[in-house]
Amino acid sequence: MCGIVGYVGDKKAISKIMTGLRSLEYRGYDSAGIAYIKDGIVKIIKREGPIDNLDKKLNYDEVTNIGISHTRWSTHGVANDINSHPHRQGKITIVHNGIIENYESLKKNLTSLGYIFKSNTDTEVASALIDNLYKETGDMLLAINKASGMLEGSYAFNIINDDYPDTVFGTRKDSPLIVGVGQNENILASDIPAILHITNKYVVLNNYDVVVMKKDKLTFYNKDNEEVQKDIREFLDSPEVISKNGYEHYMLKEINEQAEIVKKLLKLYTEGNKVTLSFDLKKYKTIDIVACGSASFAGQLGKFYIEKFLDIPTSVTFASEYRYQKNFFDKDKLVILISQSGETADTLAVLKLAKENNVDTLAIVNRKDSSIAREADNVIYTEAGIEISVATTKAYLAQVIVLLLLAIRENENESKILDDLKILPNLITKEINDYDYELLAKLFYKKENVFYLGRGVDYFLAMEGSLKLKEISYIHSEAFAAGELKHGSISLVDENFGIIAVVTDKNIGNKTISNLKEVSARNAKILTITNIKDETFSDYKIEIDDISDILNPLLAIVPMQLIAYNIAKLKKCNIDKPRNLAKSVTVE
Ligand code: F6R
């Protein structure tokens, strides 16, 4: 949610900053802005809309060697030029990722001190607060640390102060911030893609760390104003990982990467025909899986596998609900947090809650060095590589595979299932190539409503398929447990309705088929993704291979992704950056 980039270095700062900022557009794209210092004067340019709108207003020949920038996903105040970042009060200019929860009371105090606010944002309040504390202390480090003590909520800040024209200051709490360590230039950003045009070396800031970043010097402090040393890490993948690699969209590229990711996970987490992950779920009597969105739907498949192979009662709850509901914590419980970004605010809050209650935690996370990865007792990485498309595909599949591996570890069927898993990559590639998904998408792209139906594990898949469709194509869609439809919602179904059914579980497939006949009798057109051959219950079919009840669900995922992708493409939607969304949800 929001991307920030600060830079100090050579005189082409605007270009360096904008290259970084563009790579963070997946984090928010409703407005963007930049502040840079030219001849001792801070210049601020900001525009509503995507980064392109800002770009048109910039003069790349302007000579400046320092600046901060922002791409926004609005929280406080609509997306317009005034609410866009950077914000400035007194000598302080700031960009912010996160939410200041107590900004209203702070604003009142600061207003009484004479500050006048132009925007509706919480960020402008933070700039006034730091300015006021700087006036009081005459020291930026003290001002930042005092401000941190007063701000409630989450933040990653890049700050410039008129009195320090060669320095960008940074600090964070519960929103990510890394420092790219260059040669005679340094860069301070929300995420790794934004630094790779300068360096692959970086330092991860922890909560309340402060960095004082100059062109040739980086100094780090803790919240007690003491200087601290930080490790420099290296990002070892090639910068290629953040390019589209010839694909029209990141989403399509990421869908196509899935076969390789399955191979990679098998290589990393199995040997011979054994799972090598050491984490043992069997130690626990109950498991709570907690996540948001697609990660929670991956969790539903995890529940299916864990209960099937380990007989451990497992619940799956959205993190935004779990953190405020009554929970029954005890020493025999494990809380599994699933997150691609590792920064999702609600999931992170549940991790903290579980730890406060002394419950063991396991994080299944894609992004290394992320907050959830660092704070959980145990971490397993999903190793899907950087995912840029806002709609997740490869990270979701990788989450499911990791959960499956954990569930089958030391099971009597482990060897057979791993054998089957080895053929999954080829089958994924085959199903990507076998169907004309565009043709199938043409049947649905004009629909206003689509139901995704399934039972049992197929219902869990339907949840993911439905989310994929609605988030990128803006077609209203809901997932239903097929048997539940007739208890009310079937009244919506008519000939204009689209139905996409998933039938991979042969044990209850016949029941789903009966439900499909019921919607068919209401003249709705049905597309079914199934391994049942010679079926006659749907109007259109994607026939997937039939490996086993355990792995067939995994084969239904890719066609669902490609249907959503092709529908969104026909509708000319902004596939990689759907409206109102952002990749990393660092607010509650
Ligand atoms: C949907 C999607 C989201 C995320 C959710 C959790 O395509 O990507 O539903 O799954 O926001 O994000 P992470 O996994 O980063 O915690």
Side-chain angles (χ1 to χ4, degrees), residues 265 268-271 274-280 379-381 401-407 409-410:
L265 287 171
L268 280 174
Y269 296 148
T270 70
E271 203 176 311
K274 289 228 148 303
V275 175
T276 51
L277 288 166
S278 59
F279 195 87
D280 184 8
V379 189
I380 300 175
Y381 287 111
I401 302 271
V402 165
L403 287 159
L404 172 65
L405 294 179
L406 283 170
R409 186 179 168 273
E410 292 177 5

mmCIF file with all atom_site columns, all heavy atoms in Angstrom, residues 265 268-271 274-280 379-381 401-407 409-410:
data_model
loop_
_atom_site.group_PDB
_atom_site.id
_atom_site.type_symbol
_atom_site.label_atom_id
_atom_site.label_alt_id
_atom_site.label_comp_id
_atom_site.label_asym_id
_atom_site.label_entity_id
_atom_site.label_seq_id
_atom_site.pdbx_PDB_ins_code
_atom_site.Cartn_x
_atom_site.Cartn_y
_atom_site.Cartn_z
_atom_site.occupancy
_atom_site.B_iso_or_equiv
_atom_site.pdbx_formal_charge
_atom_site.auth_seq_id
_atom_site.auth_comp_id
_atom_site.auth_asym_id
_atom_site.auth_atom_id
_atom_site.pdbx_PDB_model_num
ATOM 1   N N   . LEU A 1 265 ? 10.160 -26.037 -5.760 1.00 0.00 ? 265 LEU A N   1
ATOM 2   C CA  . LEU A 1 265 ? 9.757  -26.424 -4.397 1.00 0.00 ? 265 LEU A CA  1
ATOM 3   C C   . LEU A 1 265 ? 10.089 -27.889 -4.133 1.00 0.00 ? 265 LEU A C   1
ATOM 4   O O   . LEU A 1 265 ? 10.504 -28.264 -3.038 1.00 0.00 ? 265 LEU A O   1
ATOM 5   C CB  . LEU A 1 265 ? 8.270  -26.146 -4.184 1.00 0.00 ? 265 LEU A CB  1
ATOM 6   C CG  . LEU A 1 265 ? 7.913  -24.656 -4.050 1.00 0.00 ? 265 LEU A CG  1
ATOM 7   C CD1 . LEU A 1 265 ? 6.407  -24.447 -4.070 1.00 0.00 ? 265 LEU A CD1 1
ATOM 8   C CD2 . LEU A 1 265 ? 8.506  -24.070 -2.769 1.00 0.00 ? 265 LEU A CD2 1
ATOM 9   N N   . LEU A 1 268 ? 13.767 -28.029 -3.508 1.00 0.00 ? 268 LEU A N   1
ATOM 10  C CA  . LEU A 1 268 ? 14.181 -27.445 -2.230 1.00 0.00 ? 268 LEU A CA  1
ATOM 11  C C   . LEU A 1 268 ? 13.692 -28.236 -1.021 1.00 0.00 ? 268 LEU A C   1
ATOM 12  O O   . LEU A 1 268 ? 14.385 -28.352 -0.017 1.00 0.00 ? 268 LEU A O   1
ATOM 13  C CB  . LEU A 1 268 ? 13.610 -26.029 -2.104 1.00 0.00 ? 268 LEU A CB  1
ATOM 14  C CG  . LEU A 1 268 ? 14.337 -24.922 -2.828 1.00 0.00 ? 268 LEU A CG  1
ATOM 15  C CD1 . LEU A 1 268 ? 13.551 -23.628 -2.709 1.00 0.00 ? 268 LEU A CD1 1
ATOM 16  C CD2 . LEU A 1 268 ? 15.723 -24.723 -2.221 1.00 0.00 ? 268 LEU A CD2 1
ATOM 17  N N   . TYR A 1 269 ? 12.482 -28.750 -1.110 1.00 0.00 ? 269 TYR A N   1
ATOM 18  C CA  . TYR A 1 269 ? 11.839 -29.272 0.091  1.00 0.00 ? 269 TYR A CA  1
ATOM 19  C C   . TYR A 1 269 ? 11.593 -30.779 0.066  1.00 0.00 ? 269 TYR A C   1
ATOM 20  O O   . TYR A 1 269 ? 10.878 -31.304 0.939  1.00 0.00 ? 269 TYR A O   1
ATOM 21  C CB  . TYR A 1 269 ? 10.520 -28.531 0.348  1.00 0.00 ? 269 TYR A CB  1
ATOM 22  C CG  . TYR A 1 269 ? 10.705 -27.054 0.647  1.00 0.00 ? 269 TYR A CG  1
ATOM 23  C CD1 . TYR A 1 269 ? 9.752  -26.113 0.266  1.00 0.00 ? 269 TYR A CD1 1
ATOM 24  C CD2 . TYR A 1 269 ? 11.827 -26.587 1.327  1.00 0.00 ? 269 TYR A CD2 1
ATOM 25  C CE1 . TYR A 1 269 ? 9.922  -24.760 0.550  1.00 0.00 ? 269 TYR A CE1 1
ATOM 26  C CE2 . TYR A 1 269 ? 12.010 -25.241 1.596  1.00 0.00 ? 269 TYR A CE2 1
ATOM 27  C CZ  . TYR A 1 269 ? 11.058 -24.336 1.208  1.00 0.00 ? 269 TYR A CZ  1
ATOM 28  O OH  . TYR A 1 269 ? 11.232 -23.000 1.489  1.00 0.00 ? 269 TYR A OH  1
ATOM 29  N N   . THR A 1 270 ? 12.177 -31.481 -0.923 1.00 0.00 ? 270 THR A N   1
ATOM 30  C CA  . THR A 1 270 ? 12.059 -32.946 -0.910 1.00 0.00 ? 270 THR A CA  1
ATOM 31  C C   . THR A 1 270 ? 13.393 -33.550 -1.350 1.00 0.00 ? 270 THR A C   1
ATOM 32  O O   . THR A 1 270 ? 14.186 -32.899 -2.031 1.00 0.00 ? 270 THR A O   1
ATOM 33  C CB  . THR A 1 270 ? 10.958 -33.473 -1.873 1.00 0.00 ? 270 THR A CB  1
ATOM 34  O OG1 . THR A 1 270 ? 11.383 -33.277 -3.220 1.00 0.00 ? 270 THR A OG1 1
ATOM 35  C CG2 . THR A 1 270 ? 9.632  -32.805 -1.661 1.00 0.00 ? 270 THR A CG2 1
ATOM 36  N N   . GLU A 1 271 ? 13.583 -34.802 -0.956 1.00 0.00 ? 271 GLU A N   1
ATOM 37  C CA  . GLU A 1 271 ? 14.780 -35.508 -1.408 1.00 0.00 ? 271 GLU A CA  1
ATOM 38  C C   . GLU A 1 271 ? 14.413 -36.983 -1.525 1.00 0.00 ? 271 GLU A C   1
ATOM 39  O O   . GLU A 1 271 ? 13.770 -37.535 -0.629 1.00 0.00 ? 271 GLU A O   1
ATOM 40  C CB  . GLU A 1 271 ? 15.896 -35.326 -0.391 1.00 0.00 ? 271 GLU A CB  1
ATOM 41  C CG  . GLU A 1 271 ? 17.257 -35.533 -1.032 1.00 0.00 ? 271 GLU A CG  1
ATOM 42  C CD  . GLU A 1 271 ? 18.361 -35.246 -0.032 1.00 0.00 ? 271 GLU A CD  1
ATOM 43  O OE1 . GLU A 1 271 ? 18.322 -34.189 0.618  1.00 0.00 ? 271 GLU A OE1 1
ATOM 44  O OE2 . GLU A 1 271 ? 19.222 -36.127 0.101  1.00 0.00 ? 271 GLU A OE2 1
ATOM 45  N N   . LYS A 1 274 ? 11.010 -38.160 -0.105 1.00 0.00 ? 274 LYS A N   1
ATOM 46  C CA  . LYS A 1 274 ? 10.689 -37.716 1.258  1.00 0.00 ? 274 LYS A CA  1
ATOM 47  C C   . LYS A 1 274 ? 10.653 -36.189 1.311  1.00 0.00 ? 274 LYS A C   1
ATOM 48  O O   . LYS A 1 274 ? 11.465 -35.518 0.667  1.00 0.00 ? 274 LYS A O   1
ATOM 49  C CB  . LYS A 1 274 ? 11.778 -38.185 2.226  1.00 0.00 ? 274 LYS A CB  1
ATOM 50  C CG  . LYS A 1 274 ? 11.797 -39.666 2.498  1.00 0.00 ? 274 LYS A CG  1
ATOM 51  C CD  . LYS A 1 274 ? 11.896 -39.908 4.012  1.00 0.00 ? 274 LYS A CD  1
ATOM 52  C CE  . LYS A 1 274 ? 11.213 -41.126 4.546  1.00 0.00 ? 274 LYS A CE  1
ATOM 53  N NZ  . LYS A 1 274 ? 9.822  -41.324 4.330  1.00 0.00 ? 274 LYS A NZ  1
ATOM 54  N N   . VAL A 1 275 ? 9.743  -35.702 2.113  1.00 0.00 ? 275 VAL A N   1
ATOM 55  C CA  . VAL A 1 275 ? 9.712  -34.260 2.367  1.00 0.00 ? 275 VAL A CA  1
ATOM 56  C C   . VAL A 1 275 ? 10.833 -33.940 3.348  1.00 0.00 ? 275 VAL A C   1
ATOM 57  O O   . VAL A 1 275 ? 10.977 -34.616 4.375  1.00 0.00 ? 275 VAL A O   1
ATOM 58  C CB  . VAL A 1 275 ? 8.344  -33.855 2.970  1.00 0.00 ? 275 VAL A CB  1
ATOM 59  C CG1 . VAL A 1 275 ? 8.335  -32.385 3.364  1.00 0.00 ? 275 VAL A CG1 1
ATOM 60  C CG2 . VAL A 1 275 ? 7.209  -34.165 1.993  1.00 0.00 ? 275 VAL A CG2 1
ATOM 61  N N   . THR A 1 276 ? 11.622 -32.931 3.045  1.00 0.00 ? 276 THR A N   1
ATOM 62  C CA  . THR A 1 276 ? 12.744 -32.605 3.944  1.00 0.00 ? 276 THR A CA  1
ATOM 63  C C   . THR A 1 276 ? 12.435 -31.435 4.880  1.00 0.00 ? 276 THR A C   1
ATOM 64  O O   . THR A 1 276 ? 13.258 -31.074 5.714  1.00 0.00 ? 276 THR A O   1
ATOM 65  C CB  . THR A 1 276 ? 14.010 -32.271 3.128  1.00 0.00 ? 276 THR A CB  1
ATOM 66  O OG1 . THR A 1 276 ? 13.645 -31.296 2.149  1.00 0.00 ? 276 THR A OG1 1
ATOM 67  C CG2 . THR A 1 276 ? 14.590 -33.488 2.462  1.00 0.00 ? 276 THR A CG2 1
ATOM 68  N N   . LEU A 1 277 ? 11.266 -30.849 4.731  1.00 0.00 ? 277 LEU A N   1
ATOM 69  C CA  . LEU A 1 277 ? 10.899 -29.779 5.673  1.00 0.00 ? 277 LEU A CA  1
ATOM 70  C C   . LEU A 1 277 ? 10.899 -30.373 7.076  1.00 0.00 ? 277 LEU A C   1
ATOM 71  O O   . LEU A 1 277 ? 10.312 -31.442 7.298  1.00 0.00 ? 277 LEU A O   1
ATOM 72  C CB  . LEU A 1 277 ? 9.490  -29.264 5.359  1.00 0.00 ? 277 LEU A CB  1
ATOM 73  C CG  . LEU A 1 277 ? 9.336  -28.429 4.088  1.00 0.00 ? 277 LEU A CG  1
ATOM 74  C CD1 . LEU A 1 277 ? 7.868  -28.275 3.726  1.00 0.00 ? 277 LEU A CD1 1
ATOM 75  C CD2 . LEU A 1 277 ? 9.986  -27.069 4.286  1.00 0.00 ? 277 LEU A CD2 1
ATOM 76  N N   . SER A 1 278 ? 11.533 -29.671 8.012  1.00 0.00 ? 278 SER A N   1
ATOM 77  C CA  . SER A 1 278 ? 11.643 -30.298 9.336  1.00 0.00 ? 278 SER A CA  1
ATOM 78  C C   . SER A 1 278 ? 10.460 -29.956 10.230 1.00 0.00 ? 278 SER A C   1
ATOM 79  O O   . SER A 1 278 ? 10.264 -30.567 11.269 1.00 0.00 ? 278 SER A O   1
ATOM 80  C CB  . SER A 1 278 ? 12.957 -29.900 10.004 1.00 0.00 ? 278 SER A CB  1
ATOM 81  O OG  . SER A 1 278 ? 12.960 -28.500 10.112 1.00 0.00 ? 278 SER A OG  1
ATOM 82  N N   . PHE A 1 279 ? 9.680  -28.981 9.847  1.00 0.00 ? 279 PHE A N   1
ATOM 83  C CA  . PHE A 1 279 ? 8.587  -28.569 10.742 1.00 0.00 ? 279 PHE A CA  1
ATOM 84  C C   . PHE A 1 279 ? 7.539  -29.675 10.834 1.00 0.00 ? 279 PHE A C   1
ATOM 85  O O   . PHE A 1 279 ? 7.035  -30.167 9.827  1.00 0.00 ? 279 PHE A O   1
ATOM 86  C CB  . PHE A 1 279 ? 7.939  -27.271 10.256 1.00 0.00 ? 279 PHE A CB  1
ATOM 87  C CG  . PHE A 1 279 ? 7.094  -26.659 11.325 1.00 0.00 ? 279 PHE A CG  1
ATOM 88  C CD1 . PHE A 1 279 ? 7.656  -25.801 12.258 1.00 0.00 ? 279 PHE A CD1 1
ATOM 89  C CD2 . PHE A 1 279 ? 5.752  -26.979 11.447 1.00 0.00 ? 279 PHE A CD2 1
ATOM 90  C CE1 . PHE A 1 279 ? 6.891  -25.276 13.287 1.00 0.00 ? 279 PHE A CE1 1
ATOM 91  C CE2 . PHE A 1 279 ? 4.983  -26.452 12.464 1.00 0.00 ? 279 PHE A CE2 1
ATOM 92  C CZ  . PHE A 1 279 ? 5.556  -25.592 13.388 1.00 0.00 ? 279 PHE A CZ  1
ATOM 93  N N   . ASP A 1 280 ? 7.214  -30.051 12.097 1.00 0.00 ? 280 ASP A N   1
ATOM 94  C CA  . ASP A 1 280 ? 6.330  -31.190 12.305 1.00 0.00 ? 280 ASP A CA  1
ATOM 95  C C   . ASP A 1 280 ? 4.963  -30.724 12.832 1.00 0.00 ? 280 ASP A C   1
ATOM 96  O O   . ASP A 1 280 ? 4.838  -30.326 13.993 1.00 0.00 ? 280 ASP A O   1
ATOM 97  C CB  . ASP A 1 280 ? 7.007  -32.129 13.330 1.00 0.00 ? 280 ASP A CB  1
ATOM 98  C CG  . ASP A 1 280 ? 6.200  -33.391 13.522 1.00 0.00 ? 280 ASP A CG  1
ATOM 99  O OD1 . ASP A 1 280 ? 5.225  -33.592 12.764 1.00 0.00 ? 280 ASP A OD1 1
ATOM 100 O OD2 . ASP A 1 280 ? 6.542  -34.171 14.425 1.00 0.00 ? 280 ASP A OD2 1
ATOM 101 N N   . VAL A 1 379 ? 9.586  -20.168 9.960  1.00 0.00 ? 379 VAL A N   1
ATOM 102 C CA  . VAL A 1 379 ? 9.219  -19.666 8.621  1.00 0.00 ? 379 VAL A CA  1
ATOM 103 C C   . VAL A 1 379 ? 9.505  -20.721 7.577  1.00 0.00 ? 379 VAL A C   1
ATOM 104 O O   . VAL A 1 379 ? 10.552 -21.382 7.612  1.00 0.00 ? 379 VAL A O   1
ATOM 105 C CB  . VAL A 1 379 ? 10.092 -18.454 8.203  1.00 0.00 ? 379 VAL A CB  1
ATOM 106 C CG1 . VAL A 1 379 ? 9.546  -17.819 6.925  1.00 0.00 ? 379 VAL A CG1 1
ATOM 107 C CG2 . VAL A 1 379 ? 10.193 -17.443 9.276  1.00 0.00 ? 379 VAL A CG2 1
ATOM 108 N N   . ILE A 1 380 ? 8.586  -20.861 6.651  1.00 0.00 ? 380 ILE A N   1
ATOM 109 C CA  . ILE A 1 380 ? 8.888  -21.625 5.433  1.00 0.00 ? 380 ILE A CA  1
ATOM 110 C C   . ILE A 1 380 ? 8.624  -20.687 4.266  1.00 0.00 ? 380 ILE A C   1
ATOM 111 O O   . ILE A 1 380 ? 7.547  -20.082 4.174  1.00 0.00 ? 380 ILE A O   1
ATOM 112 C CB  . ILE A 1 380 ? 8.014  -22.886 5.323  1.00 0.00 ? 380 ILE A CB  1
ATOM 113 C CG1 . ILE A 1 380 ? 8.264  -23.803 6.520  1.00 0.00 ? 380 ILE A CG1 1
ATOM 114 C CG2 . ILE A 1 380 ? 8.318  -23.620 4.014  1.00 0.00 ? 380 ILE A CG2 1
ATOM 115 C CD1 . ILE A 1 380 ? 7.353  -25.011 6.571  1.00 0.00 ? 380 ILE A CD1 1
ATOM 116 N N   . TYR A 1 381 ? 9.601  -20.557 3.392  1.00 0.00 ? 381 TYR A N   1
ATOM 117 C CA  . TYR A 1 381 ? 9.437  -19.666 2.247  1.00 0.00 ? 381 TYR A CA  1
ATOM 118 C C   . TYR A 1 381 ? 8.788  -20.406 1.082  1.00 0.00 ? 381 TYR A C   1
ATOM 119 O O   . TYR A 1 381 ? 9.114  -21.572 0.824  1.00 0.00 ? 381 TYR A O   1
ATOM 120 C CB  . TYR A 1 381 ? 10.788 -19.096 1.820  1.00 0.00 ? 381 TYR A CB  1
ATOM 121 C CG  . TYR A 1 381 ? 11.291 -18.057 2.793  1.00 0.00 ? 381 TYR A CG  1
ATOM 122 C CD1 . TYR A 1 381 ? 12.399 -18.292 3.597  1.00 0.00 ? 381 TYR A CD1 1
ATOM 123 C CD2 . TYR A 1 381 ? 10.616 -16.852 2.922  1.00 0.00 ? 381 TYR A CD2 1
ATOM 124 C CE1 . TYR A 1 381 ? 12.831 -17.339 4.503  1.00 0.00 ? 381 TYR A CE1 1
ATOM 125 C CE2 . TYR A 1 381 ? 11.050 -15.891 3.826  1.00 0.00 ? 381 TYR A CE2 1
ATOM 126 C CZ  . TYR A 1 381 ? 12.148 -16.142 4.606  1.00 0.00 ? 381 TYR A CZ  1
ATOM 127 O OH  . TYR A 1 381 ? 12.573 -15.192 5.506  1.00 0.00 ? 381 TYR A OH  1
ATOM 128 N N   . ILE A 1 401 ? 1.211  -25.727 -2.310 1.00 0.00 ? 401 ILE A N   1
ATOM 129 C CA  . ILE A 1 401 ? 2.179  -26.831 -2.391 1.00 0.00 ? 401 ILE A CA  1
ATOM 130 C C   . ILE A 1 401 ? 2.908  -26.995 -1.047 1.00 0.00 ? 401 ILE A C   1
ATOM 131 O O   . ILE A 1 401 ? 3.099  -28.115 -0.559 1.00 0.00 ? 401 ILE A O   1
ATOM 132 C CB  . ILE A 1 401 ? 3.230  -26.581 -3.508 1.00 0.00 ? 401 ILE A CB  1
ATOM 133 C CG1 . ILE A 1 401 ? 2.554  -26.394 -4.853 1.00 0.00 ? 401 ILE A CG1 1
ATOM 134 C CG2 . ILE A 1 401 ? 4.302  -27.661 -3.527 1.00 0.00 ? 401 ILE A CG2 1
ATOM 135 C CD1 . ILE A 1 401 ? 2.291  -27.597 -5.672 1.00 0.00 ? 401 ILE A CD1 1
ATOM 136 N N   . VAL A 1 402 ? 3.304  -25.878 -0.450 1.00 0.00 ? 402 VAL A N   1
ATOM 137 C CA  . VAL A 1 402 ? 4.015  -25.977 0.834  1.00 0.00 ? 402 VAL A CA  1
ATOM 138 C C   . VAL A 1 402 ? 3.103  -26.618 1.887  1.00 0.00 ? 402 VAL A C   1
ATOM 139 O O   . VAL A 1 402 ? 3.524  -27.503 2.654  1.00 0.00 ? 402 VAL A O   1
ATOM 140 C CB  . VAL A 1 402 ? 4.520  -24.591 1.302  1.00 0.00 ? 402 VAL A CB  1
ATOM 141 C CG1 . VAL A 1 402 ? 4.930  -24.608 2.764  1.00 0.00 ? 402 VAL A CG1 1
ATOM 142 C CG2 . VAL A 1 402 ? 5.684  -24.133 0.431  1.00 0.00 ? 402 VAL A CG2 1
ATOM 143 N N   . LEU A 1 403 ? 1.844  -26.222 1.907  1.00 0.00 ? 403 LEU A N   1
ATOM 144 C CA  . LEU A 1 403 ? 0.905  -26.813 2.884  1.00 0.00 ? 403 LEU A CA  1
ATOM 145 C C   . LEU A 1 403 ? 0.739  -28.310 2.625  1.00 0.00 ? 403 LEU A C   1
ATOM 146 O O   . LEU A 1 403 ? 0.698  -29.122 3.554  1.00 0.00 ? 403 LEU A O   1
ATOM 147 C CB  . LEU A 1 403 ? -0.451 -26.090 2.790  1.00 0.00 ? 403 LEU A CB  1
ATOM 148 C CG  . LEU A 1 403 ? -0.442 -24.671 3.394  1.00 0.00 ? 403 LEU A CG  1
ATOM 149 C CD1 . LEU A 1 403 ? -1.585 -23.831 2.829  1.00 0.00 ? 403 LEU A CD1 1
ATOM 150 C CD2 . LEU A 1 403 ? -0.539 -24.730 4.919  1.00 0.00 ? 403 LEU A CD2 1
ATOM 151 N N   . LEU A 1 404 ? 0.684  -28.665 1.352  1.00 0.00 ? 404 LEU A N   1
ATOM 152 C CA  . LEU A 1 404 ? 0.553  -30.090 1.013  1.00 0.00 ? 404 LEU A CA  1
ATOM 153 C C   . LEU A 1 404 ? 1.779  -30.867 1.507  1.00 0.00 ? 404 LEU A C   1
ATOM 154 O O   . LEU A 1 404 ? 1.658  -31.933 2.121  1.00 0.00 ? 404 LEU A O   1
ATOM 155 C CB  . LEU A 1 404 ? 0.387  -30.243 -0.510 1.00 0.00 ? 404 LEU A CB  1
ATOM 156 C CG  . LEU A 1 404 ? 0.440  -31.670 -1.045 1.00 0.00 ? 404 LEU A CG  1
ATOM 157 C CD1 . LEU A 1 404 ? -0.748 -32.488 -0.534 1.00 0.00 ? 404 LEU A CD1 1
ATOM 158 C CD2 . LEU A 1 404 ? 0.432  -31.694 -2.572 1.00 0.00 ? 404 LEU A CD2 1
ATOM 159 N N   . LEU A 1 405 ? 2.959  -30.302 1.267  1.00 0.00 ? 405 LEU A N   1
ATOM 160 C CA  . LEU A 1 405 ? 4.187  -30.998 1.687  1.00 0.00 ? 405 LEU A CA  1
ATOM 161 C C   . LEU A 1 405 ? 4.205  -31.183 3.210  1.00 0.00 ? 405 LEU A C   1
ATOM 162 O O   . LEU A 1 405 ? 4.578  -32.243 3.717  1.00 0.00 ? 405 LEU A O   1
ATOM 163 C CB  . LEU A 1 405 ? 5.432  -30.229 1.237  1.00 0.00 ? 405 LEU A CB  1
ATOM 164 C CG  . LEU A 1 405 ? 5.661  -30.142 -0.280 1.00 0.00 ? 405 LEU A CG  1
ATOM 165 C CD1 . LEU A 1 405 ? 6.922  -29.326 -0.588 1.00 0.00 ? 405 LEU A CD1 1
ATOM 166 C CD2 . LEU A 1 405 ? 5.770  -31.524 -0.911 1.00 0.00 ? 405 LEU A CD2 1
ATOM 167 N N   . LEU A 1 406 ? 3.778  -30.145 3.918  1.00 0.00 ? 406 LEU A N   1
ATOM 168 C CA  . LEU A 1 406 ? 3.748  -30.261 5.391  1.00 0.00 ? 406 LEU A CA  1
ATOM 169 C C   . LEU A 1 406 ? 2.780  -31.350 5.830  1.00 0.00 ? 406 LEU A C   1
ATOM 170 O O   . LEU A 1 406 ? 3.034  -32.082 6.788  1.00 0.00 ? 406 LEU A O   1
ATOM 171 C CB  . LEU A 1 406 ? 3.316  -28.931 6.012  1.00 0.00 ? 406 LEU A CB  1
ATOM 172 C CG  . LEU A 1 406 ? 4.374  -27.837 6.054  1.00 0.00 ? 406 LEU A CG  1
ATOM 173 C CD1 . LEU A 1 406 ? 3.740  -26.513 6.472  1.00 0.00 ? 406 LEU A CD1 1
ATOM 174 C CD2 . LEU A 1 406 ? 5.498  -28.206 7.024  1.00 0.00 ? 406 LEU A CD2 1
ATOM 175 N N   . ALA A 1 407 ? 1.667  -31.450 5.104  1.00 0.00 ? 407 ALA A N   1
ATOM 176 C CA  . ALA A 1 407 ? 0.635  -32.413 5.517  1.00 0.00 ? 407 ALA A CA  1
ATOM 177 C C   . ALA A 1 407 ? 1.040  -33.851 5.215  1.00 0.00 ? 407 ALA A C   1
ATOM 178 O O   . ALA A 1 407 ? 0.698  -34.767 5.970  1.00 0.00 ? 407 ALA A O   1
ATOM 179 C CB  . ALA A 1 407 ? -0.680 -32.067 4.826  1.00 0.00 ? 407 ALA A CB  1
ATOM 180 N N   . ARG A 1 409 ? 4.103  -35.027 4.990  1.00 0.00 ? 409 ARG A N   1
ATOM 181 C CA  . ARG A 1 409 ? 5.402  -35.381 5.573  1.00 0.00 ? 409 ARG A CA  1
ATOM 182 C C   . ARG A 1 409 ? 5.230  -36.601 6.499  1.00 0.00 ? 409 ARG A C   1
ATOM 183 O O   . ARG A 1 409 ? 4.385  -36.613 7.370  1.00 0.00 ? 409 ARG A O   1
ATOM 184 C CB  . ARG A 1 409 ? 5.869  -34.165 6.375  1.00 0.00 ? 409 ARG A CB  1
ATOM 185 C CG  . ARG A 1 409 ? 7.207  -34.217 6.953  1.00 0.00 ? 409 ARG A CG  1
ATOM 186 C CD  . ARG A 1 409 ? 7.459  -32.904 7.686  1.00 0.00 ? 409 ARG A CD  1
ATOM 187 N NE  . ARG A 1 409 ? 8.655  -33.042 8.488  1.00 0.00 ? 409 ARG A NE  1
ATOM 188 C CZ  . ARG A 1 409 ? 8.669  -33.529 9.718  1.00 0.00 ? 409 ARG A CZ  1
ATOM 189 N NH1 . ARG A 1 409 ? 7.546  -33.892 10.307 1.00 0.00 ? 409 ARG A NH1 1
ATOM 190 N NH2 . ARG A 1 409 ? 9.820  -33.636 10.355 1.00 0.00 ? 409 ARG A NH2 1
ATOM 191 N N   . GLU A 1 410 ? 6.017  -37.617 6.255  1.00 0.00 ? 410 GLU A N   1
ATOM 192 C CA  . GLU A 1 410 ? 6.006  -38.861 7.046  1.00 0.00 ? 410 GLU A CA  1
ATOM 193 C C   . GLU A 1 410 ? 4.682  -39.620 6.979  1.00 0.00 ? 410 GLU A C   1
ATOM 194 O O   . GLU A 1 410 ? 4.409  -40.468 7.809  1.00 0.00 ? 410 GLU A O   1
ATOM 195 C CB  . GLU A 1 410 ? 6.382  -38.583 8.505  1.00 0.00 ? 410 GLU A CB  1
ATOM 196 C CG  . GLU A 1 410 ? 7.835  -38.153 8.619  1.00 0.00 ? 410 GLU A CG  1
ATOM 197 C CD  . GLU A 1 410 ? 8.254  -37.799 10.049 1.00 0.00 ? 410 GLU A CD  1
ATOM 198 O OE1 . GLU A 1 410 ? 7.447  -37.973 10.960 1.00 0.00 ? 410 GLU A OE1 1
ATOM 199 O OE2 . GLU A 1 410 ? 9.408  -37.362 10.208 1.00 0.00 ? 410 GLU A OE2 1
#
